[in-house]
Amino acid sequence: MRRTITLPKTLHLLIAVPFLLAALPAKAEEQPAPVVSYVSGLAPDDLLNIRATPSAIGKTEARLPVGVPLKNFGCADVNGNPWCKVEEVDNPQVRGWAPARYLNPASVVALTEADMAFSAQPSPDAATPPPDLTERLGAADETTDPEGAPKSAEAIGRTAMQDAYSLAFATVEIASTGEASTEIPCARHVGQPMTRCEISVAHTGGDSAVTVTWPDGGTRIISFHGGLPTGSDSSDEFRFTREGTLNMIRIGTSERFEITDALTTGG
């Protein structure tokens, strides 16, 4: 027997449909799965720096060889250089930023400003204790003001600016003699993790000579012309690559150095 749907029933169904759809839970917009990129394009025996921030002078979180798979969450242009947010597939604790030119394939996902800002946040499990700013920014005691009153907003701002400039220039001190002294990342032996080497820089016109002092003794002199590395006092093969304003130098099969343009030019 044929069923006949009357007009009132049809109207009731039409009216109910929007309410039924509204009652369904909204499906969250699915995010694209990260691309798996492989470290590639490095010089023989070289390692890729995974940095805490998308910058050639950002803190090095890890150094990975060619072929290591990385989850690539997306890339962004930073000062004319594309950087990608990555995480090691086999070790999720290794995460940070890498230049897109050393990743194959590079992700086509463009990161937003929110992604970039989040990346700059310090790790919640960082071991460095927070600085004690009580004295610097003005607690109400005898160390802040002769009368024991808290510092004014102007004084606090001035102190904060002084601290910021001190931190900015702490790594590169230019003496009146024309020499700079600081430390750089370095490694001396095959497979050795990067450590810190003290250096001194002598400027002569457009040339400069960086003298690196190994922690266990001995030195290496690296020459620069026009801000670019040109050679060393070693007879071993000399080569370098650049990440933005950072010179990544290799001498022979084991020695590695990371020297910024600011150190070599005094700028």
Side-chain angles (χ1 to χ4, degrees), residues 136-138 144-145 150-162:
R136 294 296 294 163
L137 299 184
T144 60
D145 189 86
K151 289 183 178 179
S152 65
E154 180 181 358
I156 291 175
R158 185 166 56 249
T159 300
M161 288 298 296
Q162 290 172 351

Side-chain angles (χ1 to χ4, degrees), residues 4-265:
T4 302
I5 300 178
T6 61
L7 181 60
K9 289 184 178 180
T10 304
L11 290 176
H12 291 160
L13 288 174
L14 292 175
I15 294 172
V17 166
F19 292 96
L20 291 173
L21 293 177
L24 294 175
K27 183 178 180 180
E29 184 178 351
E30 294 183 359
Q31 296 295 328
V35 171
V36 175
S37 300
Y38 292 85
V39 178
S40 64
L42 300 176
D45 302 321
D46 208 349
L47 299 172
L48 175 64
N49 289 321
I50 305 299
R51 300 190 180 276
T53 55
S55 168
I57 58 175
K59 178 186 175 184
T60 301
E61 299 288 353
R63 292 173 61 85
L64 304 176
V66 168
V68 171
L70 300 171
K71 291 182 181 179
N72 191 330
F73 298 96
C75 305
D77 187 274
V78 181
N79 298 325
N81 297 300
W83 288 79
C84 299
K85 190 175 183 178
V86 297
E87 177 184 289
E88 188 176 352
V89 172
D90 299 329
N91 184 8
Q93 298 300 319
V94 175
R95 59 190 315 173
W97 294 84
R101 65 179 180 274
Y102 295 123
L103 302 175
N104 184 27
S107 175
V108 296
V109 176
L111 296 176
T112 65
E113 291 185 4
D115 295 324
M116 302 295 292
F118 177 77
S119 70
Q121 296 290 333
S123 174
D125 58 354
T128 304
D132 183 4
L133 300 181
T134 302
E135 182 177 352
R136 294 296 294 163
L137 299 184
D141 58 29
E142 68 278 5
T143 64
T144 60
D145 189 86
E147 287 77 25
K151 289 183 178 179
S152 65
E154 180 181 358
I156 291 175
R158 185 166 56 249
T159 300
M161 288 298 296
Q162 290 172 351
D163 288 347
Y165 278 108
S166 297
L167 290 173
F169 291 101
T171 56
V172 182
E173 297 179 355
I174 306 300
S176 59
T177 58
E179 294 189 353
S181 179
T182 184
E183 292 183 344
I184 63 166
C186 62
R188 191 174 191 177
H189 306 291
V190 175
Q192 175 189 10
M194 296 292 275
T195 183
R196 308 292 295 182
C197 289
E198 184 176 346
I199 70 167
S200 62
V201 185
H203 302 284
T204 306
D207 298 333
S208 56
V210 177
T211 301
V212 182
T213 302
W214 300 107
D216 54 355
T219 60
R220 173 70 64 231
I221 299 176
I222 302 173
S223 303
F224 288 78
H225 177 73
L228 294 178
T230 57
S232 75
D233 61 345
S234 171
S235 58
D236 292 334
E237 180 188 7
F238 183 92
R239 58 192 184 278
F240 74 95
T241 57
R242 286 176 62 83
E243 288 185 9
T245 60
L246 179 70
N247 298 291
M248 302 176 63
I249 300 169
R250 292 187 65 91
I251 300 176
T253 60
S254 58
E255 295 183 11
R256 306 189 301 275
F257 309 90
E258 296 182 3
I259 303 177
T260 62
D261 289 347
L263 286 174
T264 61
T265 62

